[in-house]
Amino acid sequence: MSDAFDLLYSETEEELRSAVRALLADRCAPADVIVRAETDRPHDPELWHTLAAEIGTAGLLVPEKLGGQGAGHREAAVVLEELGRAVAPVPYLTSAVLATEILLGCDTHEVAGLLRELAAGRQVCAPALPLTQAPGAPLPAPVRDTGGGVLTGTVTSVADAAAADVLLVLADSGLYAVPAAEVSLVPLVPLDLTRPLATVTLDGAAGTRLADPATARAAVAGALLSGAGLLASEQLGLAQWCLAETVRHVRGRHQFNRPIGSFQALKHRLAQLWLDVASARAAARAAADALASGTPDAPLTVAVAQAYCSGVAVRAAEECVQLHGGIGMTWEHPAHLYLKRAKADALALGTPGHHHALVADFAELPSP
């Protein structure tokens, strides 16, 4: 392990947080998210355009020479923290993190134009991989190239495919950029309605080859590691909202002529949850800092963050639902959005059990 992590937010990161939070407060109210989640198009394209293009968050990981902001994982983590706090229905994790990291890992002339489009917010790109694909796990069988970049195959549980203009497809002959119009999408019924899933079918789809098989698989592996590490920040933001909203509720809800937050049992539960969230913040910030600095122990730090933050997000959402009483069980209250996102995130990019196994492996801990 490295000697120390920089867990504090810089002034630039706090300014970025303020800009993103102000936008989400104005354009992503919980009631609006619930209404949009009930439609067949849960993504908010106008919100995405403002977030990606006008604020410039889509290009945080993209170098300036390719039209990006030339920032890094710490800044992207701040954005995901705020998006988790608002359960915002935008394809940031898939397009601005996973797809962008895959393209940066290819480092070929062919990817430069696509990276410029992503950084400018003019296009959305989604990896044609199951959302549950975990770093360190074997990659699924690639799509078959029948010749000349004509691809045939099926990939299930692809996140944000419906919002994508381009899909990154891992084939047996390398990585391909396939226009969304070339594929067939069958929507699935996800637990988290704000992050839709689909089965992607390629039946003679024409794609542009971006990298050879070895480079493609290495790029995908690196992107999955970064995605898992930054997902911890989304889980942190989600847990922070649940804690703050629950504290607000128990301070204003009265029983026996006193706030229910004054009851000793609830004080203990919320104090423990505060400690859990504080620890999750440290774990998530450590993962973002390790990814930004490229330290050799980044895989271990990411695994620790995912193993811990997944559980904290779920516990925070469960406490939010339960301590809101009957109102927490209604569709109109947003607590269910956070519980569903927390549960879905606990499966995305590897389960806590998978990451616990990685921690044991990286740290050379003996099996029980």
Side-chain angles (χ1 to χ4, degrees), residues 277-329:
V277 172
S279 298
R281 184 182 299 110
R285 292 300 294 165
D289 188 64
L291 290 169
S293 56
T295 58
D297 59 334
L300 172 58
T301 310
V302 167
V304 169
Q306 261 306 300
Y308 188 75
C309 293
S310 289
V312 171
V314 171
R315 286 197 298 276
E318 289 175 341
E319 290 285 66
C320 182
V321 171
Q322 187 172 17
L323 295 184
H324 272 78
I327 192 175
M329 301 297 293

mmCIF file of all heavy atoms in Angstrom, residues 277-329:
data_model
loop_
_atom_site.group_PDB
_atom_site.id
_atom_site.type_symbol
_atom_site.label_atom_id
_atom_site.label_comp_id
_atom_site.label_asym_id
_atom_site.label_seq_id
_atom_site.Cartn_x
_atom_site.Cartn_y
_atom_site.Cartn_z
ATOM 1 N N VAL A 277 -20.997 6.036 6.778
ATOM 2 C CA VAL A 277 -20.871 6.945 5.637
ATOM 3 C C VAL A 277 -19.515 7.642 5.664
ATOM 4 O O VAL A 277 -18.881 7.820 4.607
ATOM 5 C CB VAL A 277 -22.025 7.971 5.633
ATOM 6 C CG1 VAL A 277 -21.797 9.045 4.574
ATOM 7 C CG2 VAL A 277 -23.353 7.256 5.371
ATOM 8 N N ALA A 278 -19.051 8.033 6.838
ATOM 9 C CA ALA A 278 -17.732 8.668 6.938
ATOM 10 C C ALA A 278 -16.634 7.709 6.485
ATOM 11 O O ALA A 278 -15.689 8.108 5.786
ATOM 12 C CB ALA A 278 -17.481 9.127 8.371
ATOM 13 N N SER A 279 -16.764 6.445 6.851
ATOM 14 C CA SER A 279 -15.780 5.448 6.414
ATOM 15 C C SER A 279 -15.884 5.206 4.909
ATOM 16 O O SER A 279 -14.865 5.020 4.228
ATOM 17 C CB SER A 279 -16.001 4.137 7.174
ATOM 18 O OG SER A 279 -15.829 4.307 8.569
ATOM 19 N N ALA A 280 -17.107 5.205 4.393
ATOM 20 C CA ALA A 280 -17.295 5.038 2.958
ATOM 21 C C ALA A 280 -16.664 6.191 2.187
ATOM 22 O O ALA A 280 -16.092 5.999 1.104
ATOM 23 C CB ALA A 280 -18.784 4.927 2.631
ATOM 24 N N ARG A 281 -16.772 7.407 2.739
ATOM 25 C CA ARG A 281 -16.151 8.554 2.087
ATOM 26 C C ARG A 281 -14.635 8.363 1.988
ATOM 27 O O ARG A 281 -14.024 8.626 0.945
ATOM 28 C CB ARG A 281 -16.474 9.836 2.843
ATOM 29 C CG ARG A 281 -15.937 11.089 2.159
ATOM 30 C CD ARG A 281 -16.232 12.351 2.950
ATOM 31 N NE ARG A 281 -17.667 12.540 3.108
ATOM 32 C CZ ARG A 281 -18.331 12.406 4.250
ATOM 33 N NH1 ARG A 281 -17.666 12.083 5.345
ATOM 34 N NH2 ARG A 281 -19.622 12.585 4.307
ATOM 35 N N ALA A 282 -14.037 7.894 3.061
ATOM 36 C CA ALA A 282 -12.591 7.663 3.037
ATOM 37 C C ALA A 282 -12.227 6.592 2.008
ATOM 38 O O ALA A 282 -11.253 6.742 1.257
ATOM 39 C CB ALA A 282 -12.110 7.252 4.431
ATOM 40 N N ALA A 283 -13.004 5.525 1.953
ATOM 41 C CA ALA A 283 -12.707 4.442 1.008
ATOM 42 C C ALA A 283 -12.879 4.896 -0.441
ATOM 43 O O ALA A 283 -12.048 4.602 -1.306
ATOM 44 C CB ALA A 283 -13.613 3.240 1.291
ATOM 45 N N ALA A 284 -13.962 5.629 -0.711
ATOM 46 C CA ALA A 284 -14.218 6.098 -2.067
ATOM 47 C C ALA A 284 -13.171 7.111 -2.510
ATOM 48 O O ALA A 284 -12.705 7.080 -3.660
ATOM 49 C CB ALA A 284 -15.619 6.703 -2.161
ATOM 50 N N ARG A 285 -12.805 8.030 -1.619
ATOM 51 C CA ARG A 285 -11.793 9.027 -1.974
ATOM 52 C C ARG A 285 -10.435 8.372 -2.181
ATOM 53 O O ARG A 285 -9.661 8.784 -3.054
ATOM 54 C CB ARG A 285 -11.700 10.085 -0.878
ATOM 55 C CG ARG A 285 -12.922 10.965 -0.744
ATOM 56 C CD ARG A 285 -13.210 11.730 -2.024
ATOM 57 N NE ARG A 285 -12.169 12.706 -2.321
ATOM 58 C CZ ARG A 285 -12.023 13.298 -3.497
ATOM 59 N NH1 ARG A 285 -12.817 12.988 -4.498
ATOM 60 N NH2 ARG A 285 -11.060 14.184 -3.689
ATOM 61 N N ALA A 286 -10.124 7.358 -1.388
ATOM 62 C CA ALA A 286 -8.856 6.647 -1.563
ATOM 63 C C ALA A 286 -8.811 5.964 -2.928
ATOM 64 O O ALA A 286 -7.779 5.986 -3.614
ATOM 65 C CB ALA A 286 -8.666 5.622 -0.448
ATOM 66 N N ALA A 287 -9.937 5.365 -3.345
ATOM 67 C CA ALA A 287 -9.979 4.707 -4.656
ATOM 68 C C ALA A 287 -9.791 5.717 -5.770
ATOM 69 O O ALA A 287 -9.037 5.484 -6.724
ATOM 70 C CB ALA A 287 -11.300 3.960 -4.816
ATOM 71 N N ALA A 288 -10.486 6.856 -5.686
ATOM 72 C CA ALA A 288 -10.355 7.885 -6.724
ATOM 73 C C ALA A 288 -8.929 8.422 -6.780
ATOM 74 O O ALA A 288 -8.382 8.637 -7.874
ATOM 75 C CB ALA A 288 -11.345 9.017 -6.461
ATOM 76 N N ASP A 289 -8.318 8.637 -5.628
ATOM 77 C CA ASP A 289 -6.957 9.162 -5.588
ATOM 78 C C ASP A 289 -5.968 8.143 -6.135
ATOM 79 O O ASP A 289 -5.021 8.507 -6.857
ATOM 80 C CB ASP A 289 -6.591 9.542 -4.155
ATOM 81 C CG ASP A 289 -5.272 10.282 -4.064
ATOM 82 O OD1 ASP A 289 -5.177 11.389 -4.613
ATOM 83 O OD2 ASP A 289 -4.333 9.739 -3.462
ATOM 84 N N ALA A 290 -6.171 6.866 -5.822
ATOM 85 C CA ALA A 290 -5.276 5.820 -6.329
ATOM 86 C C ALA A 290 -5.372 5.710 -7.845
ATOM 87 O O ALA A 290 -4.363 5.537 -8.536
ATOM 88 C CB ALA A 290 -5.611 4.486 -5.673
ATOM 89 N N LEU A 291 -6.585 5.819 -8.379
ATOM 90 C CA LEU A 291 -6.753 5.764 -9.831
ATOM 91 C C LEU A 291 -6.126 6.990 -10.491
ATOM 92 O O LEU A 291 -5.501 6.890 -11.552
ATOM 93 C CB LEU A 291 -8.241 5.685 -10.180
ATOM 94 C CG LEU A 291 -8.940 4.366 -9.842
ATOM 95 C CD1 LEU A 291 -10.447 4.520 -9.989
ATOM 96 C CD2 LEU A 291 -8.427 3.237 -10.727
ATOM 97 N N ALA A 292 -6.295 8.154 -9.881
ATOM 98 C CA ALA A 292 -5.754 9.389 -10.448
ATOM 99 C C ALA A 292 -4.238 9.366 -10.486
ATOM 100 O O ALA A 292 -3.619 9.849 -11.449
ATOM 101 C CB ALA A 292 -6.248 10.589 -9.654
ATOM 102 N N SER A 293 -3.622 8.820 -9.446
ATOM 103 C CA SER A 293 -2.161 8.810 -9.371
ATOM 104 C C SER A 293 -1.549 7.563 -9.995
ATOM 105 O O SER A 293 -0.326 7.493 -10.160
ATOM 106 C CB SER A 293 -1.706 8.929 -7.910
ATOM 107 O OG SER A 293 -2.268 7.890 -7.119
ATOM 108 N N GLY A 294 -2.392 6.582 -10.361
ATOM 109 C CA GLY A 294 -1.899 5.377 -11.009
ATOM 110 C C GLY A 294 -0.995 4.540 -10.141
ATOM 111 O O GLY A 294 -0.045 3.918 -10.629
ATOM 112 N N THR A 295 -1.242 4.491 -8.851
ATOM 113 C CA THR A 295 -0.397 3.733 -7.937
ATOM 114 C C THR A 295 -0.543 2.234 -8.177
ATOM 115 O O THR A 295 -1.604 1.747 -8.586
ATOM 116 C CB THR A 295 -0.765 4.043 -6.481
ATOM 117 O OG1 THR A 295 -2.147 3.736 -6.271
ATOM 118 C CG2 THR A 295 -0.538 5.516 -6.171
ATOM 119 N N PRO A 296 0.496 1.464 -7.927
ATOM 120 C CA PRO A 296 0.425 0.017 -8.146
ATOM 121 C C PRO A 296 -0.644 -0.684 -7.312
ATOM 122 O O PRO A 296 -1.129 -1.749 -7.690
ATOM 123 C CB PRO A 296 1.833 -0.473 -7.756
ATOM 124 C CG PRO A 296 2.706 0.723 -7.893
ATOM 125 C CD PRO A 296 1.850 1.898 -7.512
ATOM 126 N N ASP A 297 -0.979 -0.097 -6.146
ATOM 127 C CA ASP A 297 -1.968 -0.725 -5.280
ATOM 128 C C ASP A 297 -3.392 -0.282 -5.600
ATOM 129 O O ASP A 297 -4.314 -0.537 -4.823
ATOM 130 C CB ASP A 297 -1.655 -0.440 -3.812
ATOM 131 C CG ASP A 297 -1.631 1.054 -3.503
ATOM 132 O OD1 ASP A 297 -1.368 1.841 -4.426
ATOM 133 O OD2 ASP A 297 -1.858 1.429 -2.341
ATOM 134 N N ALA A 298 -3.604 0.379 -6.753
ATOM 135 C CA ALA A 298 -4.948 0.828 -7.118
ATOM 136 C C ALA A 298 -5.962 -0.320 -7.172
ATOM 137 O O ALA A 298 -7.085 -0.160 -6.690
ATOM 138 C CB ALA A 298 -4.913 1.587 -8.445
ATOM 139 N N PRO A 299 -5.627 -1.491 -7.749
ATOM 140 C CA PRO A 299 -6.623 -2.577 -7.756
ATOM 141 C C PRO A 299 -7.085 -2.983 -6.354
ATOM 142 O O PRO A 299 -8.273 -3.242 -6.136
ATOM 143 C CB PRO A 299 -5.890 -3.722 -8.461
ATOM 144 C CG PRO A 299 -4.893 -3.039 -9.341
ATOM 145 C CD PRO A 299 -4.447 -1.844 -8.548
ATOM 146 N N LEU A 300 -6.159 -3.023 -5.395
ATOM 147 C CA LEU A 300 -6.538 -3.362 -4.023
ATOM 148 C C LEU A 300 -7.409 -2.273 -3.423
ATOM 149 O O LEU A 300 -8.424 -2.548 -2.776
ATOM 150 C CB LEU A 300 -5.277 -3.572 -3.180
ATOM 151 C CG LEU A 300 -5.498 -3.758 -1.667
ATOM 152 C CD1 LEU A 300 -6.405 -4.947 -1.386
ATOM 153 C CD2 LEU A 300 -4.156 -3.918 -0.951
ATOM 154 N N THR A 301 -7.028 -1.012 -3.626
ATOM 155 C CA THR A 301 -7.801 0.101 -3.070
ATOM 156 C C THR A 301 -9.206 0.141 -3.649
ATOM 157 O O THR A 301 -10.185 0.402 -2.931
ATOM 158 C CB THR A 301 -7.079 1.437 -3.357
ATOM 159 O OG1 THR A 301 -5.715 1.323 -2.958
ATOM 160 C CG2 THR A 301 -7.731 2.573 -2.602
ATOM 161 N N VAL A 302 -9.325 -0.116 -4.954
ATOM 162 C CA VAL A 302 -10.645 -0.157 -5.592
ATOM 163 C C VAL A 302 -11.475 -1.298 -5.026
ATOM 164 O O VAL A 302 -12.670 -1.132 -4.741
ATOM 165 C CB VAL A 302 -10.492 -0.286 -7.118
ATOM 166 C CG1 VAL A 302 -11.822 -0.655 -7.768
ATOM 167 C CG2 VAL A 302 -9.960 1.006 -7.710
ATOM 168 N N ALA A 303 -10.867 -2.457 -4.850
ATOM 169 C CA ALA A 303 -11.608 -3.604 -4.323
ATOM 170 C C ALA A 303 -12.104 -3.329 -2.902
ATOM 171 O O ALA A 303 -13.234 -3.685 -2.548
ATOM 172 C CB ALA A 303 -10.728 -4.854 -4.351
ATOM 173 N N VAL A 304 -11.274 -2.693 -2.094
ATOM 174 C CA VAL A 304 -11.691 -2.337 -0.732
ATOM 175 C C VAL A 304 -12.873 -1.367 -0.779
ATOM 176 O O VAL A 304 -13.868 -1.526 -0.046
ATOM 177 C CB VAL A 304 -10.518 -1.718 0.053
ATOM 178 C CG1 VAL A 304 -10.997 -1.108 1.362
ATOM 179 C CG2 VAL A 304 -9.451 -2.766 0.331
ATOM 180 N N ALA A 305 -12.779 -0.367 -1.643
ATOM 181 C CA ALA A 305 -13.845 0.630 -1.736
ATOM 182 C C ALA A 305 -15.159 0.001 -2.171
ATOM 183 O O ALA A 305 -16.219 0.286 -1.599
ATOM 184 C CB ALA A 305 -13.440 1.741 -2.712
ATOM 185 N N GLN A 306 -15.110 -0.855 -3.180
ATOM 186 C CA GLN A 306 -16.340 -1.480 -3.649
ATOM 187 C C GLN A 306 -16.911 -2.450 -2.626
ATOM 188 O O GLN A 306 -18.127 -2.503 -2.405
ATOM 189 C CB GLN A 306 -16.100 -2.208 -4.972
ATOM 190 C CG GLN A 306 -16.521 -1.434 -6.188
ATOM 191 C CD GLN A 306 -17.964 -0.979 -6.094
ATOM 192 O OE1 GLN A 306 -18.874 -1.787 -5.983
ATOM 193 N NE2 GLN A 306 -18.176 0.318 -6.125
ATOM 194 N N ALA A 307 -16.049 -3.223 -1.997
ATOM 195 C CA ALA A 307 -16.518 -4.184 -0.997
ATOM 196 C C ALA A 307 -17.223 -3.478 0.151
ATOM 197 O O ALA A 307 -18.193 -4.002 0.720
ATOM 198 C CB ALA A 307 -15.341 -5.010 -0.468
ATOM 199 N N TYR A 308 -16.752 -2.271 0.507
ATOM 200 C CA TYR A 308 -17.333 -1.558 1.644
ATOM 201 C C TYR A 308 -18.489 -0.654 1.244
ATOM 202 O O TYR A 308 -19.555 -0.663 1.869
ATOM 203 C CB TYR A 308 -16.259 -0.736 2.351
ATOM 204 C CG TYR A 308 -16.740 -0.120 3.635
ATOM 205 C CD1 TYR A 308 -16.900 -0.895 4.783
ATOM 206 C CD2 TYR A 308 -17.073 1.221 3.710
ATOM 207 C CE1 TYR A 308 -17.366 -0.350 5.966
ATOM 208 C CE2 TYR A 308 -17.540 1.775 4.882
ATOM 209 C CZ TYR A 308 -17.691 0.988 6.008
ATOM 210 O OH TYR A 308 -18.175 1.532 7.165
ATOM 211 N N CYS A 309 -18.301 0.146 0.206
ATOM 212 C CA CYS A 309 -19.303 1.156 -0.149
ATOM 213 C C CYS A 309 -20.612 0.541 -0.630
ATOM 214 O O CYS A 309 -21.682 1.133 -0.427
ATOM 215 C CB CYS A 309 -18.747 2.098 -1.210
ATOM 216 S SG CYS A 309 -17.397 3.146 -0.616
ATOM 217 N N SER A 310 -20.558 -0.610 -1.259
ATOM 218 C CA SER A 310 -21.797 -1.260 -1.693
ATOM 219 C C SER A 310 -22.708 -1.539 -0.513
ATOM 220 O O SER A 310 -23.908 -1.242 -0.542
ATOM 221 C CB SER A 310 -21.479 -2.579 -2.427
ATOM 222 O OG SER A 310 -20.901 -2.335 -3.688
ATOM 223 N N GLY A 311 -22.139 -2.096 0.552
ATOM 224 C CA GLY A 311 -22.939 -2.410 1.725
ATOM 225 C C GLY A 311 -23.451 -1.181 2.435
ATOM 226 O O GLY A 311 -24.596 -1.151 2.912
ATOM 227 N N VAL A 312 -22.628 -0.135 2.506
ATOM 228 C CA VAL A 312 -23.055 1.090 3.178
ATOM 229 C C VAL A 312 -24.216 1.734 2.432
ATOM 230 O O VAL A 312 -25.186 2.210 3.043
ATOM 231 C CB VAL A 312 -21.874 2.075 3.298
ATOM 232 C CG1 VAL A 312 -22.361 3.444 3.790
ATOM 233 C CG2 VAL A 312 -20.819 1.536 4.245
ATOM 234 N N ALA A 313 -24.142 1.782 1.102
ATOM 235 C CA ALA A 313 -25.225 2.380 0.320
ATOM 236 C C ALA A 313 -26.533 1.640 0.536
ATOM 237 O O ALA A 313 -27.598 2.259 0.701
ATOM 238 C CB ALA A 313 -24.855 2.398 -1.161
ATOM 239 N N VAL A 314 -26.482 0.319 0.561
ATOM 240 C CA VAL A 314 -27.701 -0.468 0.767
ATOM 241 C C VAL A 314 -28.248 -0.239 2.175
ATOM 242 O O VAL A 314 -29.449 -0.026 2.368
ATOM 243 C CB VAL A 314 -27.432 -1.961 0.513
ATOM 244 C CG1 VAL A 314 -28.634 -2.805 0.940
ATOM 245 C CG2 VAL A 314 -27.125 -2.207 -0.963
ATOM 246 N N ARG A 315 -27.374 -0.247 3.184
ATOM 247 C CA ARG A 315 -27.839 -0.032 4.556
ATOM 248 C C ARG A 315 -28.443 1.358 4.714
ATOM 249 O O ARG A 315 -29.471 1.535 5.381
ATOM 250 C CB ARG A 315 -26.686 -0.221 5.544
ATOM 251 C CG ARG A 315 -26.279 -1.653 5.767
ATOM 252 C CD ARG A 315 -25.439 -1.817 7.018
ATOM 253 N NE ARG A 315 -24.184 -1.079 6.957
ATOM 254 C CZ ARG A 315 -23.076 -1.520 6.373
ATOM 255 N NH1 ARG A 315 -23.073 -2.709 5.784
ATOM 256 N NH2 ARG A 315 -21.970 -0.801 6.384
ATOM 257 N N ALA A 316 -27.809 2.354 4.132
ATOM 258 C CA ALA A 316 -28.329 3.717 4.247
ATOM 259 C C ALA A 316 -29.704 3.834 3.609
ATOM 260 O O ALA A 316 -30.608 4.477 4.164
ATOM 261 C CB ALA A 316 -27.357 4.703 3.600
ATOM 262 N N ALA A 317 -29.882 3.213 2.447
ATOM 263 C CA ALA A 317 -31.175 3.271 1.770
ATOM 264 C C ALA A 317 -32.236 2.498 2.544
ATOM 265 O O ALA A 317 -33.396 2.932 2.630
ATOM 266 C CB ALA A 317 -31.044 2.720 0.357
ATOM 267 N N GLU A 318 -31.862 1.370 3.109
ATOM 268 C CA GLU A 318 -32.824 0.603 3.907
ATOM 269 C C GLU A 318 -33.245 1.374 5.147
ATOM 270 O O GLU A 318 -34.429 1.389 5.504
ATOM 271 C CB GLU A 318 -32.199 -0.744 4.285
ATOM 272 C CG GLU A 318 -32.053 -1.702 3.110
ATOM 273 C CD GLU A 318 -31.318 -2.977 3.483
ATOM 274 O OE1 GLU A 318 -30.613 -2.981 4.523
ATOM 275 O OE2 GLU A 318 -31.413 -3.960 2.734
ATOM 276 N N GLU A 319 -32.289 2.009 5.824
ATOM 277 C CA GLU A 319 -32.637 2.808 6.994
ATOM 278 C C GLU A 319 -33.521 3.985 6.599
ATOM 279 O O GLU A 319 -34.443 4.361 7.335
ATOM 280 C CB GLU A 319 -31.355 3.314 7.674
ATOM 281 C CG GLU A 319 -30.540 2.242 8.370
ATOM 282 C CD GLU A 319 -31.173 1.795 9.670
ATOM 283 O OE1 GLU A 319 -32.273 1.196 9.641
ATOM 284 O OE2 GLU A 319 -30.574 2.053 10.727
ATOM 285 N N CYS A 320 -33.245 4.583 5.450
ATOM 286 C CA CYS A 320 -34.056 5.707 4.982
ATOM 287 C C CYS A 320 -35.508 5.278 4.790
ATOM 288 O O CYS A 320 -36.432 5.968 5.229
ATOM 289 C CB CYS A 320 -33.479 6.247 3.675
ATOM 290 S SG CYS A 320 -34.335 7.678 3.001
ATOM 291 N N VAL A 321 -35.707 4.134 4.140
ATOM 292 C CA VAL A 321 -37.068 3.640 3.918
ATOM 293 C C VAL A 321 -37.742 3.311 5.247
ATOM 294 O O VAL A 321 -38.876 3.726 5.512
ATOM 295 C CB VAL A 321 -37.051 2.404 3.006
ATOM 296 C CG1 VAL A 321 -38.431 1.755 2.958
ATOM 297 C CG2 VAL A 321 -36.612 2.790 1.585
ATOM 298 N N GLN A 322 -37.038 2.593 6.109
ATOM 299 C CA GLN A 322 -37.662 2.132 7.349
ATOM 300 C C GLN A 322 -37.963 3.275 8.313
ATOM 301 O O GLN A 322 -39.045 3.335 8.909
ATOM 302 C CB GLN A 322 -36.766 1.109 8.038
ATOM 303 C CG GLN A 322 -37.429 0.476 9.247
ATOM 304 C CD GLN A 322 -36.621 -0.672 9.822
ATOM 305 O OE1 GLN A 322 -35.446 -0.808 9.534
ATOM 306 N NE2 GLN A 322 -37.248 -1.495 10.635
ATOM 307 N N LEU A 323 -37.034 4.214 8.465
ATOM 308 C CA LEU A 323 -37.234 5.281 9.443
ATOM 309 C C LEU A 323 -38.179 6.366 8.946
ATOM 310 O O LEU A 323 -38.603 7.222 9.727
ATOM 311 C CB LEU A 323 -35.895 5.887 9.850
ATOM 312 C CG LEU A 323 -34.948 4.927 10.589
ATOM 313 C CD1 LEU A 323 -33.690 5.636 11.041
ATOM 314 C CD2 LEU A 323 -35.635 4.272 11.779
ATOM 315 N N HIS A 324 -38.529 6.318 7.674
ATOM 316 C CA HIS A 324 -39.593 7.202 7.186
ATOM 317 C C HIS A 324 -40.978 6.603 7.449
ATOM 318 O O HIS A 324 -41.988 7.261 7.187
ATOM 319 C CB HIS A 324 -39.437 7.466 5.684
ATOM 320 C CG HIS A 324 -38.551 8.633 5.375
ATOM 321 N ND1 HIS A 324 -37.172 8.560 5.422
ATOM 322 C CD2 HIS A 324 -38.842 9.910 5.016
ATOM 323 C CE1 HIS A 324 -36.660 9.734 5.098
ATOM 324 N NE2 HIS A 324 -37.647 10.571 4.854
ATOM 325 N N GLY A 325 -41.004 5.380 7.943
ATOM 326 C CA GLY A 325 -42.293 4.769 8.257
ATOM 327 C C GLY A 325 -43.112 4.510 7.002
ATOM 328 O O GLY A 325 -42.584 4.183 5.946
ATOM 329 N N GLY A 326 -44.407 4.695 7.109
ATOM 330 C CA GLY A 326 -45.305 4.413 5.996
ATOM 331 C C GLY A 326 -45.007 5.220 4.750
ATOM 332 O O GLY A 326 -45.099 4.713 3.625
ATOM 333 N N ILE A 327 -44.620 6.486 4.927
ATOM 334 C CA ILE A 327 -44.365 7.333 3.765
ATOM 335 C C ILE A 327 -43.177 6.814 2.951
ATOM 336 O O ILE A 327 -43.110 6.988 1.732
ATOM 337 C CB ILE A 327 -44.132 8.791 4.194
ATOM 338 C CG1 ILE A 327 -44.174 9.716 2.973
ATOM 339 C CG2 ILE A 327 -42.817 8.952 4.945
ATOM 340 C CD1 ILE A 327 -44.074 11.176 3.319
ATOM 341 N N GLY A 328 -42.229 6.157 3.626
ATOM 342 C CA GLY A 328 -41.071 5.628 2.919
ATOM 343 C C GLY A 328 -41.405 4.475 1.998
ATOM 344 O O GLY A 328 -40.611 4.131 1.116
ATOM 345 N N MET A 329 -42.579 3.882 2.182
ATOM 346 C CA MET A 329 -43.002 2.757 1.350
ATOM 347 C C MET A 329 -43.837 3.199 0.160
ATOM 348 O O MET A 329 -44.273 2.374 -0.635
ATOM 349 C CB MET A 329 -43.815 1.761 2.195
ATOM 350 C CG MET A 329 -43.058 1.200 3.385
ATOM 351 S SD MET A 329 -41.608 0.235 2.902
ATOM 352 C CE MET A 329 -42.399 -1.151 2.093
#
